[in-house]
Amino acid sequence: MQLKYLLSVFFLISASLSMLAQDSGFSWGISLYPNSSGRRLVALGNYDDEFIRNLEALEMPKFSYSAGLVAEWRAEKLGFRMGLNYTNSGYQTIKQIFPDDEPNPDNASHIRERFHSTYIELPIEFLFSHNLKEGSALFFMLGTSFALNLSNTTQTILYFGETNQSSTADTEGDFNAFNYAFQSGIGWKADIGSRFTLVLQPNFQFWLKGLLQESNVNRNLYALGLKTVVLLRPIEL
């Protein structure tokens, strides 16, 4: 499946660049994607409904982000965008009363854990635009993304009444080193002056491989947020 997916993406990139080569404007810039990231739970073992419900109630989304460089080729109706990002994603538990059956040498009253996975990410986006007026357009985006896993850490936050303390350690597990995602969004872009373009894009992203290579309880990460892109234009090819 991975090979077919990669070949399909390669074909779409080649076709897009070929169509844009004759009549395109090239621009480059920076991208910032603050988002709420969470996980889709995948339980493959013989787990009862109570276990699944408790785990679903325990875990929730957290604040995450991606930031990096981006390049865009665009014609009148079509566009193609590619970037290189540093990505922080993951999920967290709710703030809960410290379990009685776990060691509690610091006598904390509550605990929360945040799971952070970081990546070097290559997002690829195909843009279909509808011009509103000169220098302004709405667009639909359909794309994918590829990522190399850099680190996986767990931040443990202990609460003591009105105060708290946190510590971070590597998360145990056999994590996938490579992942790929589906992403889609609808956005608005507007030229600012003669050199810049501002892009605002509500964006959804779903990672198609689980965090772990083999596990009866696995998680697929997703992200929902607003991507902001500032492009410098034009640079004639």
Side-chain angles (χ1 to χ4, degrees):
M1 180 178 177
Q2 284 185 216
L3 181 58
K4 290 182 179 179
Y5 187 84
L6 290 171
L7 289 175
S8 299
V9 171
F10 178 77
F11 172 77
L12 288 173
I13 293 173
S14 300
S16 299
L17 291 178
S18 177
M19 287 187 294
L20 293 170
Q22 301 300 321
D23 182 21
S24 67
F26 173 77
S27 54
W28 66 276
I30 56 174
S31 171
L32 179 63
Y33 179 39
N35 61 79
S36 174
S37 72
R39 91 294 176 272
R40 173 180 175 270
L41 186 67
V42 180
L44 301 178
N46 295 319
Y47 300 103
D48 57 32
D49 291 341
E50 183 179 1
F51 173 84
I52 300 299
R53 285 196 300 268
N54 289 339
L55 197 54
E56 290 283 7
L58 177 64
E59 298 175 350
M60 61 180 290
K62 77 173 188 73
F63 172 78
S64 296
Y65 64 91
S66 295
L69 301 175
V70 63
E72 181 176 304
W73 294 260
R74 63 174 178 176
E76 184 178 357
K77 297 292 185 181
L78 298 176
F80 173 76
R81 188 188 299 149
M82 180 181 292
L84 183 64
N85 293 341
Y86 173 81
T87 296
N88 180 304
S89 191
Y91 60 98
Q92 65 180 344
T93 67
I94 62 173
K95 180 181 176 181
Q96 58 178 322
I97 296 174
F98 203 103
D100 294 331
D101 57 352
E102 292 188 12
N104 187 11
D106 297 319
N107 294 318
S109 61
H110 293 74
I111 184 173
R112 182 198 295 271
E113 292 182 306
R114 289 197 179 106
F115 301 94
H116 302 276
S117 293
T118 62
Y119 301 90
I120 292 294
E121 180 187 355
L122 179 70
I124 297 170
E125 304 175 10
F126 304 95
L127 310 172
F128 307 90
S129 299
H130 173 71
N131 293 329
L132 298 175
K133 58 182 180 179
E134 184 69 25
S136 178
L138 292 176
F139 65 89
F140 170 71
M141 184 278 291
L142 187 65
T144 186
S145 196
F146 302 97
L148 294 177
N149 184 234
L150 298 177
S151 67
N152 303 279
T153 57
T154 300
Q155 179 187 9
T156 302
I157 306 170
L158 301 177
Y159 296 87
F160 308 89
E162 298 298 322
T163 63
N164 65 78
Q165 67 181 38
S166 67
S167 60
T168 302
D170 290 338
T171 306
E172 295 183 0
D174 192 9
F175 288 86
N176 277 311
F178 170 79
N179 210 332
Y180 55 100
F182 163 83
Q183 60 174 334
S184 184
I186 297 175
W188 169 79
K189 59 184 178 181
D191 294 339
I192 301 175
S194 61
R195 296 302 306 277
F196 294 96
T197 298
L198 174 66
V199 179
L200 298 177
Q201 177 182 314
N203 199 82
F204 174 74
Q205 186 178 45
F206 182 81
W207 294 95
L208 298 173
K209 294 180 68 175
L211 284 171
L212 301 174
Q213 292 188 23
E214 293 185 8
S215 176
N216 288 333
V217 178
N218 213 337
R219 294 163 177 86
N220 294 78
L221 295 179
Y222 64 84
L224 179 64
L226 178 66
K227 181 180 293 187
T228 301
V229 179
V230 178
L231 296 169
L232 175 66
R233 66 171 216 288
I235 300 177
E236 298 294 334
L237 295 177

